[in-house]
Amino acid sequence: MCNHGCTDAIASRRFISCVLNAENGYEYKRVITPAETPRKIAVVGGGPAGMEAARVAALRGHDVTLYEQADRLGGQLGIAAEESSTVKPFIMEDFAAHNVVVKTNTKVDRITADAVEATETLNPPAPTGRPGAPAPVPAADAPEPETQAISIPCDCVVIASGTAPVTFDTAALEEHGIKVTLVGDCNGKAADINRAVEEGYLAATAA
């Protein structure tokens, strides 16, 4: 997967880019610059598109919260084990350095004109299986999940909820001038990791 934009492109004399770096090959026009007006950005979905959107938005100086329903970030990156083991730590370092709030085990219920309203599971089961695999069926004696409702203000939303996206009613947000951007698999057609990362990057640079 990782050689698709570089080594494969060189061999076939195509445009050279990078699957995981949206700036590669576009250095003359893709540059992360400080935002004129810092915003409270909510990113819904912690796969490649959502992680890149959150990372770039934070680098621009925005206040970013990243929501992921699963117990870990990465989405389809979990299938590409080598890339996941090298790219994810790099992204997590940027998250830590720029104070990105990561809410895993958190299901977004709705997005209002004021905030993201979600349900956070406080006692999730221990992670099992490979990332991206269907969630295991809970054991009969598994404890009841403990949850809490959370509400976090936002004034810009990036939805990167994957191949089975949840449809949110965003009419109220748009009426209040809150920008909503769909990226990755939930943007009308299936996205490979390359396009997902690129769309996440572009959404954040336009926020």
Side-chain angles (χ1 to χ4, degrees):
M1 184 276 288
C2 194
N3 291 332
H4 176 69
C6 51
T7 305
D8 288 357
I10 292 171
S12 56
R13 296 178 180 271
R14 291 183 288 108
F15 177 76
I16 300 172
S17 61
C18 177
V19 170
L20 298 169
N21 180 357
E23 290 181 352
N24 190 272
Y26 298 92
E27 290 87 351
Y28 64 100
K29 65 178 181 179
R30 291 184 181 175
V31 180
I32 298 173
T33 57
E36 293 183 5
T37 304
R39 300 180 180 276
K40 295 183 181 296
I41 295 184
V43 180
V44 182
M51 293 181 73
E52 180 68 354
R55 183 186 76 86
V56 174
L59 289 174
R60 298 193 66 218
H62 294 300
D63 181 358
V64 181
T65 303
L66 174 60
Y67 301 86
E68 170 55 51
Q69 186 172 348
D71 57 20
R72 71 195 90 179
L73 300 177
Q76 295 301 310
L77 275 178
I79 298 173
E82 181 178 349
E83 287 78 8
S84 182
S85 65
T86 56
V87 173
K88 275 186 67 177
F90 164 77
I91 295 174
M92 298 307 293
E93 286 179 8
D94 275 347
F95 283 0
H98 297 278
N99 303 309
V100 175
V101 176
V102 177
K103 306 292 282 185
T104 54
N105 298 297
T106 301
K107 179 181 179 295
V108 173
D109 300 311
R110 67 182 187 133
I111 308 170
T112 72
D114 303 308
V116 170
E117 297 180 359
T119 302
E120 181 179 14
T121 300
L122 303 176
N123 62 333
T128 59
R130 63 171 176 79
V137 177
D141 58 351
E144 286 294 318
E146 297 178 19
T147 63
Q148 68 176 4
I150 60 174
S151 179
I152 300 178
C154 68
D155 55 16
C156 182
V157 179
V158 176
I159 299 177
S161 51
T163 54
V166 177
T167 301
F168 296 103
D169 183 357
T170 60
L173 282 73
E174 292 160 359
E175 288 175 4
H176 285 75
I178 296 176
K179 186 174 183 178
V180 179
T181 306
L182 275 62
V183 299
D185 285 317
C186 64
N187 190 22
K189 61 180 180 179
D192 57 19
I193 292 177
N194 184 23
R195 190 169 73 83
V197 169
E198 181 177 45
E199 289 190 4
Y201 176 96
L202 294 175
T205 55

